[in-house]
Amino acid sequence: MKALKKIEEVLSEEKRRIAEMTPPPDFEARMRSALDAKPTRKSKRKNPYIMMAAVGVLCFMLISYNYNAFAFYGKKIFGYEEIMTGTMKDLNEKGMGQIIERKTTLIDGTELIIDGIMTDANQLVMYYTLSNPQGIADSLEYVFISDKITGFLTNAHGGGSMELLNDEGTEIKGTMYFDPVSPFAKKLTLHFWQGQEYQEGSITFPYDPNKAMQTQIKQSIKETVKVDKGTVTFKTITATPTSTVIEGKMDVDNFDRIRFGFEGVKLIANGNTIDNVGYGVRSAFNGSKFDLRFDGLPDELHSLELAFNEFVGYQKIEEQILVAENTQHDLDGNDLRIKRIAATERGIEITIETDENLLLDGVSIQNGDKVTPIKTTIGQRLNKKTDRITSERTMVFETKSMPEYLLIKGIHYVKEYNQKIEISVD
């Protein structure tokens, strides 16, 4: 029974963590720059598979393979210049992809063409076209949603996508990202959902593992950083032409208390910051495993280091704040604004505003000798200010007594650690 309870706790924690997971700030900017030309679509209803794909970009499952050491110089994949990142564009210019050109017709008459793929030990990137002279449906999720790729020793799940609709609304050029595939597979099958009833579909295409790109760096790091509530250990780095993946494990009690994640960990190559693509965290019984994903490394590599600039921290403060509406307070250098105080059917409600990545710990209210701990927090929303994003939420206390003081024992916040980990490039 204890084991079952533990499993339920881990699953519940993982569900909540995924729900709160967000990509780094520059991720949206990078995606948006590629999608600016896309007309606005009206979503008819929320689709679970699209949501899974969006989250999945942060949750690749990494599998290491030893690819055959053949460099491939083939044909370029045309028509994707607007949605290729810098690294992928350079690789395509060098002809580092495989031309597929396999097609099938979806149930609504839309033609799906797999134009090409790029593969290495970190991922498979698929380039595809959807075309329909009658027009692509407003909600793409009703037309085509990728699921996974299977093949010999392969079960590669999707991890995000980008798409670009033409001005006529009749053609979409898109890319999809999957886990790496087996070097022993000779053919692969793309599984997808189609139509408003989400019927299953698939298309099989040939695959030549000899055309997978070589791994540039695969080595241990084995460096641990001590943080306020635990440790973070960086174990390995795998750099391929398309991406760089760093794996590790951590045991940090308050990692998920704020939404910052690994945004403050940077990869520096030759003195320049490599673009952060995303990160994933998976709960385990003895802590958590994580992978950090960055863009590909430069061809000529002279130096490489991890900059552990910022991460979640914790500070005991033992604050006693006089409760009054529209008042500003300082919490060890962090702003707290009390906006409203009200007595409702739920009890006493205090609406506060703080920086986005600041969470109060050990909160209660005091009236005379009576101390009432916080019951719950409701109505959280993010407000975009000129120079920052703030979090507004309402704390509920199960009492009818108006408080004199707000008591706070500690804060979870983004802390500067500023540690460097050098990675050998010999």
Side-chain angles (χ1 to χ4, degrees), residues 308-363:
F308 196 87
N309 296 333
E310 297 176 325
F311 202 69
V312 60
Y314 183 81
Q315 179 68 42
K316 286 185 177 179
I317 56 174
E318 301 290 348
E319 286 282 340
Q320 183 184 53
I321 297 172
L322 190 63
V323 175
E325 290 188 341
N326 298 316
T327 55
Q328 195 79 20
H329 307 274
D330 178 81
L331 298 179
D332 200 44
N334 299 277
D335 293 333
L336 166 67
R337 182 176 180 79
I338 298 178
K339 302 189 71 172
R340 290 180 295 276
I341 307 167
T344 71
E345 294 180 351
R346 287 188 288 257
I348 299 298
E349 298 184 3
I350 300 179
T351 300
I352 63 170
E353 186 176 37
T354 67
D355 283 340
E356 177 189 10
N357 285 310
L358 178 72
L359 187 69
L360 309 184
D361 183 50
V363 178

Side-chain angles (χ1 to χ4, degrees), residues 28 271 318 383 416:
E28 179 180 355
E318 301 290 348
N383 300 320
E416 291 186 2

Side-chain angles (χ1 to χ4, degrees), residues 60-115:
F60 280 97
M61 295 296 293
L62 304 182
I63 304 172
S64 298
Y65 294 117
N66 294 314
Y67 279 92
N68 297 338
F70 287 100
F72 170 67
Y73 297 89
K75 298 177 181 179
K76 289 197 296 185
I77 302 171
F78 291 103
Y80 294 88
E81 291 76 11
E82 291 184 83
I83 57 175
M84 282 183 171
T85 63
T87 296
M88 303 305 290
K89 190 175 294 183
D90 291 342
L91 293 172
N92 188 46
E93 286 296 323
K94 295 175 183 177
M96 304 297 280
Q98 297 186 42
I99 304 299
I100 301 298
E101 293 182 341
R102 285 294 177 95
K103 65 177 67 176
T104 187
T105 301
L106 305 179
I107 58 176
D108 73 340
T110 299
E111 186 175 66
L112 164 65
I113 305 174
I114 299 176
D115 294 309

Side-chain angles (χ1 to χ4, degrees), residues 22 62 185 198 217-218 232 234 287 299 306 377 384 387 393 411:
T22 57
L62 304 182
Y198 301 120
I217 296 175
K218 185 174 179 62
V232 180
F234 299 94
D299 292 337
L306 268 176
T377 301
K384 188 173 183 180
D387 58 343
R393 66 270 195 192
I411 54 173

Side-chain angles (χ1 to χ4, degrees), residues 209-279:
N210 290 326
K211 295 178 180 178
M213 289 175 278
Q214 301 177 60
T215 297
Q216 298 168 320
I217 296 175
K218 185 174 179 62
Q219 64 185 57
S220 296
I221 300 176
K222 293 182 177 177
E223 293 283 349
T224 297
V225 177
K226 189 176 185 308
V227 296
D228 287 347
K229 288 284 188 177
T231 57
V232 180
T233 300
F234 299 94
K235 300 179 68 175
T236 63
I237 179 171
T238 302
T240 65
T242 66
S243 64
T244 306
V245 176
I246 293 175
E247 292 182 285
K249 66 177 183 179
M250 67 175 175
D251 186 3
V252 179
D253 289 344
N254 64 338
F255 172 74
D256 58 352
R257 301 307 301 272
I258 62 174
R259 301 167 64 89
F260 192 67
F262 281 89
E263 293 175 26
V265 180
K266 308 297 182 185
L267 183 63
I268 312 295
N270 299 341
N272 300 312
T273 301
I274 303 298
D275 287 341
N276 186 344
V277 178
Y279 66 88

Side-chain angles (χ1 to χ4, degrees), residues 56 71 135 144 148 191 252 259 291 347 350 369 385 391 393 406-407 417 425:
F144 170 74
K148 61 183 177 180
H191 300 263
V252 179
R259 301 167 64 89
D291 57 74
I350 300 179
D369 295 332
K385 301 293 180 67
S391 171
R393 66 270 195 192
L406 176 66
L407 309 179
Y417 288 92
V425 295

